[in-house]
Amino acid sequence: MIRIEHIGIAVKDIHSAEELYAKLLGSPSYKREEVPSEGVITSFFQAGPNKIELLESTRPDGPIAKAIEKRGEGIHHIAFEVADIHAEMARLRAEGFALLNEEPKRGADNKLVCFVHPKSANGVLVELCQEIQ
Ligand code: ZN
């Protein structure tokens, strides 16, 4: 793992959350991007060397909608940047972690991503992400 790349925050309304986080961080969102396969709209902020990713569900049965239903708005996942996502997935599998996808998939912000099940990580949904070259 190279560093924490971003923290994902589940929100009900991306427009009002963008305004709030722009005030909080002192700089506006630099990118808004929909990921149709995940049923989310994302919005990214730079905070020093790290990022904040706001996530709003685009469908009522999507993973973000379900998370908000269960736990309300708030921190949804922590994403770690990795140099080789396939190698890191193999390493974690060998360590007994449950991964939520068999193969890396295309995520927002030009990344290959994979999620580690929260039951494997003390209740934290962990994302691995690798920049697509
Ligand atoms: Zn993320």
Side-chain angles (χ1 to χ4, degrees):
M1 308 272 187
I2 297 170
R3 61 174 180 134
I4 291 177
E5 212 276 339
H6 65 269
I7 293 174
I9 298 175
V11 304
K12 289 181 183 165
D13 175 0
I14 202 134
H15 299 275
S16 60
E18 272 178 347
E19 279 179 31
L20 189 137
Y21 274 84
K23 280 184 210 162
L24 180 72
L25 300 171
S27 60
S29 165
Y30 68 87
K31 182 198 282 187
R32 194 190 284 173
E33 183 182 350
E34 183 166 358
V35 187
S37 59
E38 295 295 298
V40 294
I41 294 180
T42 64
S43 181
F44 285 89
F45 293 79
Q46 193 74 45
N50 308 105
K51 295 172 191 164
I52 297 290
E53 174 188 33
L54 303 179
L55 305 118
E56 179 194 310
S57 190
T58 55
R59 34 173 221 252
D61 62 337
I64 294 300
K66 283 183 186 160
I68 290 176
E69 211 170 277
K70 263 195 214 164
R71 296 183 298 275
E73 294 183 297
I75 292 180
H76 178 258
H77 63 269
I78 297 178
F80 294 94
E81 180 179 9
V82 299
D84 179 344
I85 197 165
H86 289 94
E88 208 58 30
M89 287 170 71
R91 184 181 73 80
L92 292 179
R93 265 195 207 103
E95 294 281 7
F97 288 89
L99 305 183
L100 289 176
N101 27 316
E102 285 301 310
E103 291 294 323
K105 52 187 181 178
R106 214 186 166 103
D109 204 25
N110 195 40
K111 299 280 196 299
L112 284 176
V113 304
C114 170
F115 287 91
V116 179
H117 199 291
K119 75 180 180 198
S120 289
N122 298 85
V124 176
L125 178 61
V126 171
E127 175 185 343
L128 309 178
C129 62
Q130 179 188 345
E131 186 91 22
I132 297 170
Q133 299 300 324

